[in-house]
Amino acid sequence: ISMEFRNLSKVYQDVISDICHKMGVGMAEFLEKKVDSQHEWDKYCHYVAGLVGIGLSRLFSASELEDSIVGQDTDLANSMGLFLQKTNIIRDYLEDQLEGREFWPREVWSRYAKKLSDLAKPENIDVAVQCLNELITNALHHVPDVLTYLSRLKNQSVFNFCAIPQVMAIATLAACYNNQQVFRGVVKIRKGQAVTLMMDATNIQAVKAIMYQYVEEIYQKIPSTDPSSNKTQQVIASIRALSLPGSPMASRHHYSPIYLSCAMLLAALSWQYLSTLSKATEEYVQ
């Protein structure tokens, strides 16, 4: 890694060293404290994922694959990371509990239970789902920023790289919303659904249509008695305004089957590699 880093141009080295330093300092801050407020939740997610979005955006601009504004607008880049990280934290409630980790903000869950672990108890399932819905509503507030960020991208490879995780995230939130299974096991989108998302998310109009589809799915599941129902409806309305469907999916067939097959194969191999690497790293640390 050190050798590869030294082989990079200084403009890239500066970005990488700056982001890694900020991330290390930030993660160290949360080694000895839990995530209490929603502000601290945003702060933690910024350190572990928002900075990744900012760093990548600066690299996109430094390489001239994208305009300078992509790297300069750190708020939008940060939102890209926060949306993904919050989705992972929400989905992984039970796994984190079993491993002794807590990333849901106390400010939210304390309104529903005395301890975060209490949400996994069968007798608390109704309030647990209400807490889940509130956190999903919080995460959805990043979607307008995500759409604005993606609309600025011009390079096809950069767009695919950025867009695919975002559409996976909205599909995951739709699957988790108002779903008791989050507290009983693992909620994942189907493999066929994931492949379809990878094939479709090749331009901004297609991504807007995907976002519209899944927020509508969430909207249809909003319980009238849910404490966050009004807030959920409001954020969905703001997303609708940015992603109203016309004929957005038509352009997806512009790319050849060979291109799509290669992209899908690369994505599958990358996912497998990252999953294996993550597992090996966890085993090594333990």
Side-chain angles (χ1 to χ4, degrees), residues 76 79 140-151 203-213 215-216 233-246 248:
L76 292 188
S79 281
L140 288 174
H141 281 88
H142 297 293
V143 173
D145 279 355
V146 167
L147 291 175
T148 301
Y149 180 96
L150 292 175
S151 68
N203 60 77
I204 186 60
Q205 291 305 321
V207 170
K208 285 182 177 181
I210 292 169
M211 292 291 188
Y212 185 91
Q213 172 191 339
V215 296
E216 284 300 306
Q233 291 169 353
Q234 289 172 7
V235 69
I236 287 178
S238 67
I239 297 170
R240 280 172 172 165
L242 292 173
S243 55
L244 290 174

Side-chain angles (χ1 to χ4, degrees), residues 183-239:
F183 303 96
R184 297 169 178 165
V186 181
V187 175
K188 291 184 177 181
I189 58 177
R190 302 183 307 278
K191 290 184 179 179
Q193 186 180 3
V195 170
T196 299
L197 289 170
M198 284 190 288
M199 292 177 66
D200 287 348
T202 56
N203 60 77
I204 186 60
Q205 291 305 321
V207 170
K208 285 182 177 181
I210 292 169
M211 292 291 188
Y212 185 91
Q213 172 191 339
Y214 285 109
V215 296
E216 284 300 306
E217 185 177 314
I218 293 173
Y219 184 83
Q220 295 301 321
K221 295 192 291 185
I222 299 175
S224 59
T225 56
D226 190 273
S228 303
S229 60
N230 288 337
K231 291 183 179 179
T232 309
Q233 291 169 353
Q234 289 172 7
V235 69
I236 287 178
S238 67
I239 297 170

Side-chain angles (χ1 to χ4, degrees), residues 13-23 51 58:
Q13 290 183 358
D14 291 344
V15 173
I16 293 171
S17 60
D18 178 51
I19 294 299
C20 287
H21 172 73
K22 290 176 179 176
M23 184 178 291
L51 282 171
R58 288 169 61 186

